[in-house]
């Protein structure tokens, strides 16, 4: 788990830590590059949409059964309980276009914005062990 705050510097640090961690599980260069884009996009979105007085987000990653599970969460500003229902198939919707990038590089993507927070979960299958 990694906590993000303090703007772009923490996004770079989180991406570097994630890359180092993922390199211990795979040598698939394409997967490493793809997931670097994914973590950067999700971390940027999370910090951008977090409350301004409490810019804070959380990144969790784990590998189970040769599948990478990634979750990025952030709190919503006060007074907002649920920001929207995400229609990932509508390229003209306002906001969340970066999720189309995430979806292109992952096997599954889910967004939940209930309970005062946004949680983005995605998975990506790793190459078979050799």
């Amino acid at each position: 788990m990694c906590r993000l705050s303090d703007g772009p510097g923490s996004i770079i640090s989180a991406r570097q830590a994630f890359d180092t961690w993922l390199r211990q599980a795979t040598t698939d260069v394409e997967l490493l590059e793809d997931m670097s884009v994914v973590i950067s996009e999700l971390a940027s979105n999370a910090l951008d949409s977090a409350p301004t007085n409490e810019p804070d987000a959380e990144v969790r990653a784990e590998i189970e059964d040769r599948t990478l599970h990634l979750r990025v969460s952030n709190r919503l500003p006060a007074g907002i309980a649920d920001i929207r229902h995400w229609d990932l198939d509508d390229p003209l919707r306002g906001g969340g276009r970066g999720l189309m990038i995430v979806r292109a590089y992952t096997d599954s993507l889910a967004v939940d914005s209930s309970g005062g927070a946004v949680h983005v979960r995605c998975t990506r299958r790793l190459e078979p062990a050799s």
Side-chain angles (χ1 to χ4, degrees):
M1 180 188 70
C2 174
R3 289 200 87 51
L4 302 172
S5 60
D6 207 42
S10 75
I11 296 168
I12 293 167
S13 296
R15 185 181 63 231
Q16 290 171 340
F18 177 76
D19 288 349
T20 299
W21 173 81
L22 189 56
R23 285 180 191 281
Q24 296 174 24
T26 184
T27 57
D28 183 341
V29 175
E30 183 178 339
L31 179 127
L32 292 164
E33 291 171 353
D34 290 353
M35 295 312 294
S36 183
V37 170
V38 167
I39 196 72
S40 294
E41 183 64 36
L42 293 179
S44 297
N45 287 352
L47 286 180
D48 187 48
S49 61
T52 45
N53 59 339
E54 300 174 42
D56 191 21
E58 181 178 281
V59 176
R60 291 182 180 268
E62 66 180 6
I63 296 172
E64 183 178 310
D65 297 327
R66 302 294 304 153
T67 300
L68 170 65
H69 297 266
L70 181 60
R71 175 181 165 173
V72 179
S73 304
N74 64 278
R75 289 187 305 271
L76 289 169
I80 299 177
D82 186 4
I83 55 175
R84 69 177 59 100
H85 295 283
W86 299 91
D87 181 357
L88 298 175
D89 294 318
D90 181 4
L92 301 177
R93 73 189 177 286
R97 289 188 184 101
L99 292 176
M100 294 177 79
I101 294 168
V102 172
R103 189 164 91 172
Y105 289 129
T106 58
D107 297 322
S108 70
L109 172 65
V111 180
D112 172 25
S113 59
S114 61
V118 175
H119 306 283
V120 179
R121 295 174 183 88
C122 55
T123 62
R124 171 82 180 253
R125 186 86 176 133
L126 304 180
E127 81 282 359
S130 40

